[in-house]
Amino acid sequence: MKKLFLPFEKGTFRLKNHVVMAPMTRSRAINNLPNELMATYYKQRSGAGLIVTEGTSPSPEGLGYPRIPGVFSDEQVKGWKAVTAAVHAGGSKIFLQLMHTGRIAHVDNLPEGYHPVGLSDIRAAGEIYTDTVGPQQHSVPVPLDAAGIANLINDFVKAALNAMEAGFDGVELHGANGYILEQSLNPHINNRSHDFGGSIENRSRLTLQIAERIAGVIGAEKVGLRISPYSTLSDMPVYNEEDVHETYTYLATELNRLGIAYIHVSSNPGIPQKTHAAIRSAFSNTLIYCNGLTPETAEEKLQDASADLVAFGRSFLANPDFMRKMEKKAALNEVDYMTLYTPGEQGYIDYPESGN
């Protein structure tokens, strides 16, 4: 385990080790406000070189799930300041993940007067949990017109500025898991025929314009993007394999041109090796890999340079002291799946640490 624990430096990106805590929705933001409970949770896990927060909405329309935080109000910015201060006190960097859920939403989970939006009016299959009456069918999204897309992009830019005010070291755009940026890439969900739909270049335009606009106001070195090529999460239909490959190769090439800090690959068995290789070849800045890694396989990725940083999710969720346990090869706590998204302390900040 030589490289995992060594300091990381690439360009202006510097971390105390090569380990990232992956973003994980935890649903503890009552009234969509970051709070002291969340500050405690993130501080406990500040052994990671970089923490990427749970998905945080840039606008009221993006709050698809119950109790997820936002970063579009002064009160939310104030709440996040306590989180960033706590993490920085532990010597870690922290990026805010900006997540607009698009059609993966229900109107009951949004503030009064708001409705889910999308690139089209195609309802997602399946159900989503609401605090009002439990599971419900996803709402039919209102398709964005030209003005709506302009507002969406502006919301992301303002959210990034708010993140800087709150003390974050950068922002990660959530372009994975079937949310609005990935929805824009998928021709079965994005059925627009021009501007932001149709060709690979057009379908990539929303993600790239948001990344470019944000880079222009906070600096490209403070911007990351999470992707999940070939994923079917959140009712993402499979489309032509070569089209998917070309889409993510194009994205990586354009993001390299923009000079953003990193691409964060949410890996899955459906990603062919040629796509992994194309992303690595096209993007010269930091590449983060996540999903299914063990300490041993993570070290291998660092050693063979297929990844620059490695991310762990559930291991950090259930083990606040995961870095220490990994170094000592100590037994890990199991995840309590019954409390992943409940509102309180249980299954959140009460996982035992070494020696406790």
Side-chain angles (χ1 to χ4, degrees), residues 326-338:
M326 184 163 52
E327 194 165 13
K328 294 180 177 179
K329 299 185 179 180
L332 300 178
N333 302 323
E334 295 293 326
V335 175
D336 178 5
Y337 289 97
M338 299 299 293

Side-chain angles (χ1 to χ4, degrees), residues 250-260 263 281-285:
Y250 174 73
L251 268 179
T253 301
E254 291 301 299
L255 292 168
N256 189 66
R257 179 182 62 79
L258 291 177
I260 70 166
I263 292 177
S281 176
F283 190 73
S284 61
N285 282 350

Side-chain angles (χ1 to χ4, degrees), residues 32-36 39 70-86 162-168:
N32 308 118
L33 292 171
N35 50 51
E36 288 299 325
V71 68
F72 49 84
S73 74
D74 292 342
E75 196 173 3
Q76 289 165 343
V77 170
K78 181 180 178 182
W80 279 121
K81 286 180 178 179
V83 175
T84 59
N162 286 347
M164 295 299 100
E165 185 182 342
F168 284 97

Side-chain angles (χ1 to χ4, degrees), residues 292-305:
L293 294 173
T294 65
E296 292 75 20
T297 59
E299 180 70 25
E300 288 172 7
K301 280 201 162 293
L302 296 177
Q303 292 292 347
D304 68 18

Side-chain angles (χ1 to χ4, degrees), residues 30 60 110 126 144 161 196 208 213 226 266 277 288 304 321 335 343:
I30 307 302
L110 273 55
L144 292 162
L161 290 169
F196 290 87
L208 292 174
R213 286 279 306 280
R226 194 171 210 231
S266 178
I288 304 173
D304 68 18
D321 55 344
V335 175

Side-chain angles (χ1 to χ4, degrees), residues 92 127 147 177 185 209 239 247 292 343:
S92 298
E127 296 181 324
N177 294 13
L185 297 175
Q209 283 198 4
Y239 58 108
T247 297

